[in-house]
Every structure is written in C-alpha cells, then in structure tokens.
Amino acid sequence: MNLPEFTKNLLNWNQFSNTRQMPWKGETDPYKIWLSEIILQQTRVEQGLAYYEKFISRFPKVQDLALAQDAEVFKYWEGLGYYSRCRNLLATARWVAFENKGRFPPDYEGLLKLKGVGPYTAAAIASFAFAEPRAVLDGNVFRVLSRYFGITTPIDSLTGKKLYAQLAQALMPPDQPGAYNQAIMDFGAVVCKPQAPLCSACVQRTDCEAYRLGVVGDLPVKEKSIKKRTRYFYYFLLKWNDQYYVRQRVGADIWQDLHEWVLIEQAEPLATDSSIYRNLLKKYLGTAKLKQLRVGEEVRQQLSHQTIIGRFITAELTQPLSTETGYQLLSPDALAKLAFPRFITAFSPKP
DNA sequence: AAATCGGGGTA
DNA sequence: TACCCAGATTT
C-alpha cells in the first residue's frame, strides 16, 4: 500500500501509542455516533462526556429520544450551551424515528440533509458507522495539517477550507476511514495540542514543517477575530401565591428555547438602590405592590460573543401580574422540570 | 463572507 | 483577557 508518510506515521502512532479512550470509540451504531458528535460540536470531550452518558442512559435508542417531551430533553441539555443543537437533535430524532423507519441515512449526502448535521458531522458518522471514506475536518485536523505541512492559509477562509478538505481527503487511507479519522483527531487532542504541544515526543516531528521552522505556536492561522458586546440583565424572581413568573425565550438571541425570570435588560449598569428596581418594574405591576424586595450582588458571565452582567432581584407580589406580560406562574416543582441558562442556574436565588 | 449561537478550560 | 474546543445555521 502506497500511503503518504504522514498517514503511515499517524496510523502507527494510533496503533501503538494512542491510549485515548471514549465510550463512543469503535461504536458503529449511527445513533450513538450521531448523538456523541452533536454533543461534541465546539465542545471538549471532557465537558460532553457526562452529557453523553446521561443521554444514552435515558434515551438508549433514537425512538426513546423521538418520543420524549421537548422540555425533558432540554433539561438534559441544560448547561451544555449552543441550544439550537438540542432543538435540531429533537427534530432529527423524530424524523429518523417517525419518517425514516428508525434508520439514519447510510451515506454522507443523506446525513448532510439532517438538521444540525454539517460537513464535519456527516463525515464522522459516514466514516465511523458506514466505513465511507470521508475525511473529517474539525479543529484538530486543521491544526495538525496546518502545522505538519506548514500551511498559512487561514482556516476560516473559503480557500483555506477547500485546501484543507482536499488535503485531508488525499491523506485518508480508503480502506480504513474510521480509524484514520479517529486517529487524526486523537492526535490533535493529545499530541498536537493548541497550547504546549508535545513536539519533543511527537512521531511526526522530523517531517513537521512547522517544527522545522519553529513556528508551531503560530499555526493554524485564523483571519477573523470575534468582537464582544456587553449586556446588562436584571432578573426579577417574582413570587405570588407560592409560584413564580417565568417565560420561554424566543427569537434570534442567546438562550433561545430556555426559560427565564422576568427580565429587564438595560444598556448601562444599575446601582444597588432598591428604588431603581421598583421603578423599573412599575410598568409590569399595575396595581400590585412589591413586598420584601431584595437586590442581589452584581454577577457576570462570559460568553463567546457577549459579556452578561446583571443582578437577581427577589420580591413578593400583593397581586398577580397582568396576563398580558407573557410570563406565566409556575410552582417550584414545575420549574424544576424546565431548562434555564447557566447565568440563572449559577447565580439566581432558588425559588 | 460574516455574524451568531454557550460554556468551560488554559495560559 | 484571549483563544480554543470532534461546527452549524442564518443573513
């Protein structure tokens, strides 16, 4: 077999030195592979692992997931982030179970049509479950190839994506696509890491262009940088009749489909004075009054594109709010079944 | 082609 | 703080 030197060394490393173990490794059930891949999108294995175990335990087959209520599945996803993945997960599970006889599409092109499944995930499922020779292109692969071949074309440019896709495909051994895809991602995660890569112990060292030139830390190249904005979220945990006001977030914004307390967003930060918050709430209250209002400390959370700064304010109402507010009253037991963003689960007083 | 979608780990 | 992580979708 006439494989590239890179591929031979990679497979050799995989066979004799790769000790990385994960529950989905070697799995051929497309459901389990699909579930693991969706969970792991832009998510570290260590972070996604517990979620995968929980999901497989509660939803062993795609039918179990398809039959579940949205709220329960979102509760399982709570805290993992990128919640559109959960919405798409449900849509795909139901399509597979109810409209495709419980079968996942058996090839790359068919998999690509599934909601939440893009080029990476389709290639991963196709190669792992169906042994289709489709090279995966994830953050690990970009990094490994960029360094080994000394490629400075930005990985987030269109020409870069084409270049890397062609290269990755050319390096893949046609008879063992799954092992190759798994190996290059493991190699990127364990040896050719973003920071402090293990170059001195790397079996590809002698052929690595970035190592030869001493530019390992400069690769891969990205052209776009993200800019952040700061938002100020003031959450009111309003109690009436031993119940609390809550709503589900809708629209094109963070935390879509998750739940939250009465929210008043501000363009600027607010001080601690309780009068400020009484005034803010006035338009929601009608004739109702606030009792035992408490203003919490300022808290903050960093997201990829936003910094959320805010406070949690608790109060009891003397009357219920108008039904036109869009918020509904729920008991603590009912609230416990709903998914909330981390900002709330981490900082909010318990209802 | 660019902008967004979370949350956590690391230097 | 900035970058990264088994990316995908929308505009």
Side-chain angles (χ1 to χ4, degrees), chain A residues 62-94:
Chain A
V62 68
Q63 287 81 4
D64 302 314
L65 191 52
L67 287 167
Q69 299 282 320
D70 289 18
E72 188 190 4
V73 179
F74 271 94
K75 189 67 181 174
Y76 270 74
W77 198 275
E78 183 183 60
L80 192 53
Y82 283 169
Y83 296 95
S84 65
R85 289 185 293 173
C86 185
R87 187 167 56 257
N88 291 330
L89 187 82
L90 271 165
T92 290
R94 287 165 183 165

Coordinates of all heavy atoms in Angstrom, one line a residue, chain A residues 62-94:
Chain A
V62 N -32.9 5.8 19.3 CA -33.4 7.0 18.7 C -34.9 7.2 18.9 O -35.4 8.3 19.1 CB -33.1 7.1 17.2 CG1 -33.8 6.0 16.4 CG2 -33.3 8.5 16.7
Q63 N -35.6 6.0 19.0 CA -37.1 6.1 19.3 C -37.3 6.7 20.7 O -38.3 7.4 20.9 CB -37.7 4.7 19.2 CG -37.8 4.1 17.8 CD -36.5 3.5 17.3 OE1 -35.5 3.5 18.0 NE2 -36.5 3.1 16.1
D64 N -36.5 6.4 21.7 CA -36.7 7.0 23.0 C -36.6 8.5 23.0 O -37.3 9.2 23.7 CB -35.6 6.4 24.0 CG -35.7 4.8 24.0 OD1 -36.8 4.3 24.1 OD2 -34.6 4.2 23.9
L65 N -35.6 9.0 22.2 CA -35.4 10.4 22.1 C -36.6 11.0 21.4 O -37.1 12.1 21.7 CB -34.1 10.7 21.4 CG -33.5 12.1 21.4 CD1 -33.5 12.7 22.8 CD2 -32.1 12.1 20.8
A66 N -37.0 10.4 20.3 CA -38.0 10.9 19.5 C -39.4 11.0 20.2 O -40.2 11.9 20.0 CB -38.2 10.0 18.2
L67 N -39.6 10.1 21.2 CA -40.9 10.1 21.9 C -40.9 11.0 23.1 O -41.9 11.3 23.7 CB -41.2 8.7 22.4 CG -41.6 7.7 21.3 CD1 -41.6 6.3 21.8 CD2 -43.0 8.0 20.8
A68 N -39.7 11.5 23.5 CA -39.6 12.4 24.7 C -40.2 13.7 24.5 O -40.3 14.2 23.3 CB -38.1 12.5 25.1
Q69 N -40.6 14.4 25.6 CA -41.1 15.8 25.5 C -39.9 16.7 25.3 O -38.8 16.4 25.8 CB -41.8 16.1 26.8 CG -43.0 15.2 27.1 CD -44.2 15.6 26.4 OE1 -44.5 16.8 26.2 NE2 -45.0 14.7 25.9
D70 N -40.2 17.8 24.6 CA -39.1 18.8 24.4 C -38.5 19.2 25.7 O -37.3 19.3 25.9 CB -39.7 20.0 23.7 CG -40.0 19.8 22.3 OD1 -40.2 18.6 21.9 OD2 -40.2 20.8 21.5
A71 N -39.3 19.5 26.7 CA -38.9 20.1 28.0 C -37.9 19.1 28.7 O -36.9 19.5 29.2 CB -40.0 20.4 28.9
E72 N -38.2 17.8 28.6 CA -37.2 16.9 29.3 C -35.9 16.8 28.6 O -34.8 16.8 29.2 CB -37.9 15.5 29.3 CG -37.0 14.5 30.1 CD -37.4 13.1 30.0 OE1 -38.3 12.7 29.2 OE2 -36.8 12.3 30.8
V73 N -35.9 16.8 27.2 CA -34.7 16.8 26.5 C -33.8 18.0 26.7 O -32.6 18.0 26.9 CB -34.9 16.5 25.0 CG1 -33.6 16.5 24.2 CG2 -35.7 15.2 24.8
F74 N -34.5 19.2 26.7 CA -33.8 20.4 27.0 C -33.2 20.4 28.4 O -32.1 21.0 28.7 CB -34.7 21.7 26.8 CG -34.7 22.2 25.4 CD1 -35.6 21.8 24.5 CD2 -33.7 23.1 25.0 CE1 -35.6 22.2 23.2 CE2 -33.6 23.5 23.7 CZ -34.6 23.1 22.8
K75 N -33.9 19.8 29.4 CA -33.4 19.7 30.7 C -32.1 18.9 30.7 O -31.2 19.2 31.5 CB -34.5 19.1 31.6 CG -34.1 19.2 33.1 CD -34.1 20.6 33.6 CE -33.7 20.6 35.1 NZ -33.6 22.1 35.5
Y76 N -32.1 17.8 29.9 CA -30.9 17.0 29.8 C -29.8 17.8 29.2 O -28.6 17.5 29.5 CB -31.2 15.7 29.0 CG -31.6 14.6 29.9 CD1 -32.9 14.6 30.4 CD2 -30.8 13.5 30.2 CE1 -33.4 13.5 31.2 CE2 -31.2 12.5 31.0 CZ -32.5 12.5 31.5 OH -32.9 11.5 32.3
W77 N -30.1 18.7 28.3 CA -29.1 19.5 27.6 C -28.6 20.7 28.4 O -27.6 21.3 28.1 CB -29.6 20.0 26.2 CG -28.6 20.4 25.3 CD1 -28.0 21.6 25.2 CD2 -27.9 19.6 24.3 NE1 -27.0 21.7 24.2 CE2 -27.0 20.4 23.6 CE3 -28.1 18.3 23.9 CZ2 -26.2 20.0 22.6 CZ3 -27.3 17.8 22.8 CH2 -26.3 18.6 22.2
E78 N -29.4 21.1 29.4 CA -29.2 22.3 30.2 C -27.7 22.4 30.7 O -27.1 21.5 31.2 CB -30.1 22.3 31.5 CG -30.0 23.5 32.3 CD -30.8 23.4 33.6 OE1 -30.6 22.5 34.4 OE2 -31.8 24.2 33.8
G79 N -27.1 23.6 30.4 CA -25.8 23.8 30.8 C -24.7 23.5 29.7 O -23.6 23.9 29.9
L80 N -25.1 22.9 28.7 CA -24.1 22.5 27.7 C -23.9 23.6 26.6 O -22.8 23.6 26.0 CB -24.6 21.2 27.0 CG -23.5 20.5 26.1 CD1 -22.2 20.2 26.9 CD2 -24.1 19.1 25.6
G81 N -24.8 24.5 26.5 CA -24.6 25.6 25.5 C -25.1 25.2 24.1 O -25.4 24.1 23.8
Y82 N -25.0 26.3 23.3 CA -25.4 26.1 21.9 C -26.7 25.3 21.8 O -26.8 24.2 21.2 CB -24.3 25.5 21.0 CG -23.2 26.5 20.7 CD1 -22.0 26.0 20.1 CD2 -23.4 27.8 20.9 CE1 -21.0 26.9 19.8 CE2 -22.3 28.7 20.6 CZ -21.2 28.2 20.1 OH -20.2 29.1 19.8
Y83 N -27.8 25.9 22.3 CA -29.0 25.2 22.5 C -29.8 24.8 21.2 O -30.7 24.0 21.2 CB -29.9 25.9 23.5 CG -29.2 26.0 24.8 CD1 -28.5 27.0 25.2 CD2 -29.3 24.9 25.7 CE1 -27.8 27.1 26.4 CE2 -28.6 24.9 26.9 CZ -27.9 26.0 27.3 OH -27.2 26.0 28.5
S84 N -29.4 25.5 20.1 CA -30.0 25.1 18.8 C -29.6 23.6 18.5 O -30.4 22.9 17.8 CB -29.6 26.0 17.7 OG -28.2 25.9 17.5
R85 N -28.5 23.2 19.0 CA -28.2 21.8 18.8 C -29.2 20.9 19.4 O -29.5 19.8 18.8 CB -26.8 21.5 19.5 CG -25.6 22.1 18.9 CD -24.4 21.6 19.6 NE -24.2 22.1 20.9 CZ -23.3 21.7 21.8 NH1 -22.4 20.8 21.4 NH2 -23.2 22.3 23.0
C86 N -29.8 21.2 20.5 CA -30.8 20.4 21.2 C -32.1 20.4 20.4 O -32.7 19.4 20.2 CB -31.0 20.9 22.6 SG -32.2 19.9 23.5
R87 N -32.5 21.6 19.9 CA -33.7 21.7 19.1 C -33.5 20.8 17.8 O -34.4 20.1 17.4 CB -33.9 23.2 18.7 CG -35.2 23.4 18.0 CD -35.5 24.9 17.9 NE -34.5 25.7 17.3 CZ -33.6 26.5 18.0 NH1 -33.7 26.5 19.3 NH2 -32.7 27.2 17.4
N88 N -32.3 20.9 17.2 CA -32.1 20.1 16.0 C -32.0 18.7 16.3 O -32.4 17.8 15.5 CB -30.8 20.6 15.2 CG -31.0 22.0 14.6 OD1 -32.1 22.4 14.2 ND2 -29.9 22.8 14.6
L89 N -31.5 18.3 17.4 CA -31.4 17.0 17.9 C -32.7 16.3 17.9 O -32.9 15.2 17.4 CB -30.7 16.9 19.3 CG -30.4 15.6 19.9 CD1 -29.0 15.1 19.3 CD2 -30.3 15.6 21.4
L90 N -33.7 17.0 18.5 CA -35.1 16.5 18.6 C -35.7 16.4 17.2 O -36.3 15.3 16.9 CB -35.9 17.5 19.4 CG -35.9 17.2 20.9 CD1 -36.4 18.3 21.7 CD2 -36.7 15.9 21.2
A91 N -35.5 17.4 16.4 CA -36.1 17.3 15.0 C -35.5 16.1 14.2 O -36.3 15.4 13.6 CB -35.8 18.6 14.3
T92 N -34.3 15.9 14.3 CA -33.6 14.8 13.6 C -34.1 13.4 14.2 O -34.4 12.5 13.4 CB -32.1 14.9 13.6 OG1 -31.8 16.1 12.8 CG2 -31.4 13.7 13.0
A93 N -34.1 13.3 15.5 CA -34.5 12.1 16.1 C -35.9 11.7 15.7 O -36.2 10.6 15.4 CB -34.4 12.2 17.6
R94 N -36.8 12.7 15.6 CA -38.2 12.4 15.3 C -38.3 12.1 13.8 O -39.1 11.3 13.4 CB -39.1 13.6 15.6 CG -39.3 13.7 17.2 CD -39.8 15.0 17.6 NE -39.9 15.0 19.1 CZ -40.0 16.1 19.9 NH1 -40.1 17.3 19.3 NH2 -40.1 15.9 21.2

